Amino acid sequence: MISPELDSGSLKAAPMRSLLFVPADRPDRFEKAVGSGADALILDFEDSVARSAKAKGRDAVTEWLGTRPGVTTFVRVNPLDSPFIADDIAAVVAARPNGVVLPKAKDAQDVRRLKALLEGADLPILPIACETPSAIFGLGTYEEVGSNLAGLTWGAEDLPAAMGANSAREPDGSYTDPYRIVRALVLFAAHAASVPAIETVFPAIQDLKGLASYVERARRDGFTAMMAIHPAQVKIINEGFSPTATEIEEARRIIDAFESNPDAGVLQVQGKMLDLPHLKLAKRILRLVHIETES
């Protein structure tokens, strides 16, 4: 797991594959969440906590974070325009988690607004982009505030609700066309901002086979991590976003080939024509292995 002493720079470099949501008003679940193996926890002040329990949740998080729990911990505050944000921010400033998750984020300006509210606390921000229709048109602005971000993610539940859609998913669990577009745009926006692209949750907590396929598609497409809503999902997510032994062996073979031929732009390795983008990917795989080993 990642040390809670990480600063904003090292947080981005850490192997953050899984981020597990935990309701802030359920401190009885905090230690179980730590034991799940999640790379990070998201203690939630927002959707999973009833209005009447929000104060209890803030107190529980502040007390628990005072013990330095041994895992990277984010706090998801309520939206910037909610009546709870002032109290949420006060709790975050007092508790000093490793980062803040911002729901209903519209654009880079919302990141700047949150940073100002944090009163100088240097906490990385993880926006949940595209939970409202207007937020889609602000995705290109996150590149302006990339140095303030811990990543970029999206939600597939609030957006269809805001639009009056019955669902964002087909019967087989795949996304309908409008939400496939949104997912892709968030993926591109994250990479344009040079921050981790974090896939949204998989709601069917008992469908572990479906989860594995979902994770496989996410990594294939360029996501580097995923949010979870149940401890049982963490192991599959971690495994899915970790390089396999075959990938590691192939990456080493590619790097060795280019090191043996430093002036080559294109090489043939085991019958495949490889160029510099393949070398870049190979180095990224081995860098991730190194970071995981050091963590």
Side-chain angles (χ1 to χ4, degrees), residues 35-148:
S36 71
D39 292 324
L41 306 183
I42 302 175
L43 304 182
D44 185 25
F45 288 169
E46 195 208 9
D47 286 345
S48 65
V49 180
R51 176 184 292 261
S52 61
K54 290 191 184 291
K56 173 187 174 183
R58 294 186 199 102
D59 291 343
V61 167
T62 301
E63 179 181 354
W64 190 67
L65 284 178
T67 70
R68 310 309 298 169
V71 62
T72 295
T73 306
F74 290 82
V75 169
R76 178 166 73 169
V77 297
N78 284 277
L80 290 174
D81 60 356
S82 79
F84 310 110
I85 190 63
D87 289 336
D88 287 354
I89 293 297
V92 166
V93 170
R96 292 298 179 105
N98 297 111
V100 183
V101 176
L102 176 61
K104 310 296 190 298
K106 296 190 293 294
D107 52 24
Q109 187 56 32
D110 275 359
V111 174
R112 296 186 184 102
R113 288 175 61 197
L114 177 56
K115 191 168 180 62
L117 290 172
L118 290 170
E119 302 174 355
D122 186 20
L123 299 177
I125 296 167
L126 174 57
I128 304 181
C130 296
E131 290 189 299
T132 63
S134 63
I136 295 170
F137 302 101
L139 282 170
T141 68
Y142 287 106
E143 189 173 3
E144 302 169 11
V145 293
S147 62
N148 296 316

Side-chain angles (χ1 to χ4, degrees), residues 134-189:
S134 63
I136 295 170
F137 302 101
L139 282 170
T141 68
Y142 287 106
E143 189 173 3
E144 302 169 11
V145 293
S147 62
N148 296 316
L149 302 182
L152 195 65
T153 188
W154 71 295
E157 311 303 326
D158 289 83
L159 182 58
M163 296 171 60
N166 291 333
S167 175
R169 295 178 174 83
E170 301 283 5
D172 65 357
S174 63
Y175 291 108
T176 61
D177 286 345
Y179 305 100
R180 284 167 53 195
I181 293 172
V182 171
R183 175 182 180 269
L185 289 173
V186 173
L187 176 63
F188 293 135

Side-chain angles (χ1 to χ4, degrees), residues 15-19 39 187 191 195-199 218-219 221-226 237 240-242 284 288:
M16 192 166 62
R17 303 159 298 179
S18 54
L19 299 89
D39 292 324
L187 176 63
H191 284 280
V195 299
I198 301 173
E199 178 65 285
R219 185 172 179 228
D221 291 345
F223 287 94
T224 58
M226 180 177 160
I237 292 172
F241 283 104
S242 297
R284 181 182 301 170
L288 177 59

